[in-house]
Amino acid sequence: MPEEFDKKETTDARQPAVAGTATGTSHPSLEEVHGSIAVPHPRAGFWRQWRAFAGPAILVSVGYMDPGNWGTDLAGGARFKYGLLWVIALASIMAVILQVAAARLGVATGKDLAQCCRDWYPKWTRWPNWLLCEVAIGACDLAEVMGSAVALNLLFHIPLLWAVIITGLDVLLLLGLQGFGMRTIEAVVLLLVVTIGACYGIELFVLPQTQPSFLEMGRALASPGFRQAGMIYVAIGIIGATVMPHNLYLHSALVQTRRVKRDERSIRTAIHYNTIDSTVALTIAFFVNAAILVLAAMVFYGKQSVVVAGGEVVAFSADSDWIRIAYLTLAPLLGTGAASILFAVALLASGQSSTITGTLAGQVVMEGFMNWRIRPWIRRMITRMLAILPAVIIVGLRGDSSVTDLLTLSQVVLALQLPFAMFPLLHFTSSRRHMDRWVNGWLLMVLGWGSAILISLMDIYSLPESLKTAWHIIAGG
């Protein structure tokens, strides 16, 4: 019966489901996995549909809990306690809105965001748009390099400079996974996300020394503002680490790995379940980010220093390398060596899961904007080298200090690049010419444009301080 209905419904779909689906792009997004996952009939039950469509948002969500988030969240909690918790919540809400729009674009048009820009904007915009995307991906990859390298350094005492170089070998991880298909990649990333969540769950709720005050957190969420010097810069870093521009391109491509028919009912079902998938996955990412900030607030806020093993005194300051300090001081402050080990394991899982999505995003934007095809291992090596070189230079010149500064700086770069991804996305999804009946509803349109404008205004407001801090980090002053 379902097979007969499939044939009838396909035959009756006399017109294309969208006006925006057009020729002009010679190959689909992520061609090797495009349409590789079957989905059940739209009449199938909720759980069958959910299992089929769940996955793309999981891959996207790891970008919202990568090492860049760790640097900004740890700095925010340690310096301002729960004062920036509302920024994480706001950024997470904006991330859900924008990722829902990106998934909607991919399902409705059959194109990813980069392909839409290539086909529907003037030709001269391709090069600058592509280069801006590459800068954002390079900044994100810098955060992943530094996070993974720090984790290797902390767990195995490998010098940080060598650890940075070793991270280049993780190209083999993705190349090995690609041969097993998209479902395997999604399962591995889900395992890494569960590892991160479990580590922080244990540190916050199992270890007796940590008892978060939900009342105090609620008050912080209900009273947003920037009451202390330096909060705006860290807040922009948090937004840059949470709402990631290349994820908008990636999500619009990943949803096309599902074999969705082009009739109205199938597209409507795909949009519905991708919306659920995005909301659930990014809500999990919000709780992970909130847990990082809350742990830092409980353990570090209000303290000037702590004595670690061997009698060494670790001092806290606004310029502290909070990722390294967290590893060194969690054990004595929480009274168990497991706290530091859990932290480092979660950090390594975070960095490695993010490398997978970074590579896929690089492939999407390069092929989408420029219509270039390049072997995955070459693409990965180019991306990794562009991230490793600045890390090697700065670590070589300044030693092991200021890892958190580099992570925060990379996230500010992401925030400054966001408008160049957000506004085209909202332009297309708000246009009936491109989306036909799948154009954004009024609520999604208002929230989407409101989010884009708010992020852009915060970028402009913070630009002088961001540039000043960036120069301080790069010059080592």
Side-chain angles (χ1 to χ4, degrees), residues 33-250:
V33 291
H34 182 86
S36 60
I37 300 173
V39 297
H41 189 273
R43 286 184 173 178
F46 175 84
W47 291 111
R48 282 189 63 198
Q49 298 279 9
W50 169 255
R51 286 196 302 269
F53 285 103
I58 294 173
L59 290 180
V60 169
S61 72
V62 301
Y64 295 83
M65 56 184 95
D66 73 345
N69 293 81
W70 292 51
T72 54
D73 294 342
L74 286 169
R79 294 173 59 186
F80 311 115
K81 202 174 183 181
Y82 303 135
L84 292 178
L85 191 59
W86 69 272
V87 176
I88 294 180
L90 177 63
S92 298
I93 293 171
M94 292 191 292
V96 171
I97 294 167
L98 294 171
Q99 295 298 161
V100 165
R104 191 182 190 93
L105 178 72
V107 171
T109 66
K111 299 173 182 283
D112 63 59
L113 178 57
Q115 291 173 333
C116 290
C117 292
R118 181 178 185 272
D119 292 343
W120 297 335
Y121 281 157
K123 290 184 178 180
W124 67 266
T125 63
R126 295 174 187 174
W127 274 93
N129 275 336
W130 172 60
L131 291 174
L132 285 169
C133 287
E134 293 292 357
V135 169
I137 292 171
C140 181
D141 218 32
L142 173 62
E144 294 153 9
V145 165
M146 296 305 299
S148 297
V150 169
L152 291 173
N153 171 258
L154 297 177
L155 287 170
F156 306 110
H157 307 291
I158 300 172
L160 187 61
L161 184 59
W162 282 105
V164 168
I165 296 172
I166 289 172
T167 57
L169 298 177
D170 66 11
V171 62
L172 302 175
L173 172 65
L174 180 60
L175 291 176
L177 290 175
Q178 281 181 327
F180 294 98
M182 184 56 65
R183 274 303 198 188
T184 300
I185 294 177
E186 291 170 355
V188 170
V189 170
L190 177 60
L191 178 62
L192 293 171
V193 170
V194 170
T195 300
I196 299 169
C199 289
Y200 270 96
I202 292 172
E203 289 193 322
L204 278 178
F205 301 110
V206 176
L207 300 181
Q209 294 85 353
T210 51
Q211 297 179 355
S213 170
F214 291 99
L215 179 60
E216 192 173 357
M217 285 187 284
R219 289 173 180 167
L221 284 171
S223 56
F226 301 108
R227 300 176 182 83
Q228 295 175 247
M231 289 184 79
I232 183 68
Y233 179 76
V234 179
I236 289 294
I238 290 174
I239 290 176
T242 305
V243 187
M244 308 189 78
H246 64 277
N247 269 345
L248 302 178
Y249 296 94
L250 178 62

Side-chain angles (χ1 to χ4, degrees), residues 272-290:
H272 174 72
Y273 282 97
N274 275 294
T275 299
I276 296 174
D277 188 35
S278 301
T279 304
V280 171
L282 295 182
T283 298
I284 293 171
F286 160 71
F287 283 115
V288 170
N289 284 321

